[in-house]
Amino acid sequence: AQTVTQSQPEMSVQEAETVTLSCTYDTSESDYYLFWYKQPPSRQMILVIRQEAYKQQNATENRFSVNFQKAAKSFSLKISDSQLGDAAMYFCAYSPYQGGSEKLVFGKGTKLTVNP
Amino acid sequence: DTGVSQDPRHKITKRGQNVTFRCDPISEHNRLYWYRQTLGQGPEFLTYFQNEAQLEKSRLLSDRFSAERPKGSFSTLEIQRTEQGDSAMYLCASTPGGDTQYFGPGTRLTVL
């Protein structure tokens, strides 16, 4: 069974600084998706960034980028120029590429605090 | 363009009562998922529909849980004879294909 591990229950960063959230996963599949979702307090989960495993190039979305290391099964999220609105729970998630339900398997999350 | 909506947003019930939640996915999204999220944890998969067909159920989904998507549009999740352990946030997500899932705001269930 696939598993996702987020080893940092909590992280904090100063506004305008850079922070990296860690995620490792375990799978025997060669093709899959990896996601970072953000869940602000009392608000719904929204997609931050997505990576297809067959793509070697790391995904980037504005201030958010990932470091995808397929052999190491590592998928970290870097947030640059942190803003107060980035404060939230961040969940790393895995999904198989095709042929099934593509259900998401989530880690336990990392709570990010942004200090002014 | 409306997102995924869920109703109600909050539900408080007494142990032993039945509850039903509704999810309206994004229009024309043929896949719909239910997840459960307990405090301090990531969401856990419960079940999945492609159109009106329920194609997969997690072992987390006991016999007291039933889900439907009668016309391939909205979906309902019913919990019979609720227990305190059912207290959680119930999340619905939809997708047009095996790709990014878009989540609703969730229904927070409290069983007293």
Side-chain angles (χ1 to χ4, degrees), chain A residues 10-57:
Chain A
E10 296 188 27
M11 292 282 285
S12 64
V13 63
Q14 292 295 126
E15 196 175 4
E17 298 288 303
T18 296
V19 64
T20 298
L21 308 184
S22 300
C23 172
T24 58
Y25 59 95
D26 188 25
T27 182
S28 58
E29 303 292 331
S30 59
D31 290 331
Y32 47 87
Y33 291 111
L34 294 165
F35 305 85
W36 279 98
Y37 279 90
K38 169 185 176 181
Q39 189 176 42
S42 301
R43 294 181 62 186
Q44 67 196 78
M45 194 164 314
I46 59 175
L47 177 71
V48 174
I49 198 164
R50 184 187 84 179
Q51 175 82 42
E52 290 94 337
Y54 66 87
K55 290 186 178 179
Q56 293 185 339
Q57 186 172 5

Side-chain angles (χ1 to χ4, degrees), chain B residues 1 5 7-10 15 18 34 42 57 69 71 76 79-80 84 96-97 100 110:
Chain B
D1 179 26
S5 61
D7 184 68
R9 296 291 303 277
H10 303 272
R15 189 176 53 188
N18 299 343
W34 286 99
K57 293 193 294 185
R69 193 181 183 197
K71 295 183 180 180
T76 59
I79 309 174
Q80 296 182 329
Q84 288 186 326
T100 302
T110 302

Side-chain angles (χ1 to χ4, degrees), chain B residues 13-105:
Chain B
T13 191
K14 293 182 179 179
R15 189 176 53 188
Q17 298 294 304
N18 299 343
V19 294
T20 300
F21 310 140
R22 175 177 170 129
C23 170
D24 287 88
I26 294 171
S27 179
E28 298 182 358
H29 279 195
N30 62 352
R31 297 190 181 193
L32 186 149
Y33 301 79
W34 286 99
Y35 294 86
R36 181 170 68 187
Q37 185 179 20
T38 54
L39 201 60
Q41 302 293 318
E44 295 175 295
F45 170 78
L46 292 179
T47 190
Y48 147 70
F49 291 85
Q50 180 154 325
N51 300 312
E52 66 276 9
Q54 187 175 18
L55 297 184
E56 186 174 345
K57 293 193 294 185
S58 164
R59 282 173 290 181
L60 293 175
L61 214 63
S62 76
D63 292 344
R64 298 183 297 105
F65 288 71
S66 63
E68 294 182 342
R69 193 181 183 197
K71 295 183 180 180
S73 56
F74 73 91
S75 175
T76 59
L77 178 67
E78 181 183 15
I79 309 174
Q80 296 182 329
R81 305 181 303 281
T82 52
E83 302 173 356
Q84 288 186 326
D86 296 331
S87 295
M89 176 76 84
Y90 290 84
L91 298 171
C92 177
S94 71
T95 177
D99 202 302
T100 302
Q101 293 183 23
Y102 297 88
F103 283 82

Side-chain angles (χ1 to χ4, degrees), chain A residues 31 42 66-67 79 84 96 98 111:
Chain A
D31 290 331
S42 301
V66 298
N67 184 5
I79 306 174
L84 295 178
Q98 63 182 8
K111 181 180 180 180

